[in-house]
Amino acid sequence: MDKNKIKLHNIDFEKFIAAIDLCKGDVYLETTEGDVLNLKSKLCQIIGLSTILSNAEVGEATLRCTN
């Protein structure tokens, strides 16, 4: 696995967003379906999290950081 990527499992969304806000570079959420959201964008956070929360589960997603 690429050292700039991690797998997400059972996360606390409030703490997750707080951690993203502390990151210096961009943070991307990539799904196996090909969706890529820049989580440094508040709009993408709202869209991404509302999509995740409206579904019972997310099959798999990867978090990629640029810095």
Side-chain angles (χ1 to χ4, degrees):
M1 179 172 26
D2 186 326
K3 69 178 181 175
N4 294 324
K5 293 183 179 184
I6 61 171
K7 299 290 183 179
L8 303 174
H9 300 280
N10 300 322
I11 62 172
D12 178 323
F13 289 111
E14 209 171 300
K15 290 180 182 178
F16 179 63
I17 295 301
I20 288 170
D21 290 340
L22 296 174
C23 293
K24 293 179 183 177
D26 289 322
V27 178
Y28 297 98
L29 181 68
E30 302 173 347
T31 68
T32 55
E33 291 81 26
D35 299 317
V36 179
L37 293 173
N38 183 343
L39 294 180
K40 290 292 283 190
S41 160
K42 293 298 178 188
L43 179 60
C44 284
Q45 287 176 3
I46 293 167
I47 292 169
L49 295 179
S50 67
T51 301
I52 290 169
L53 293 174
S54 69
N55 297 327
E57 63 181 65
V58 174
E60 184 176 313
T62 301
L63 188 66
R64 181 172 52 91
C65 302
T66 61
N67 185 3

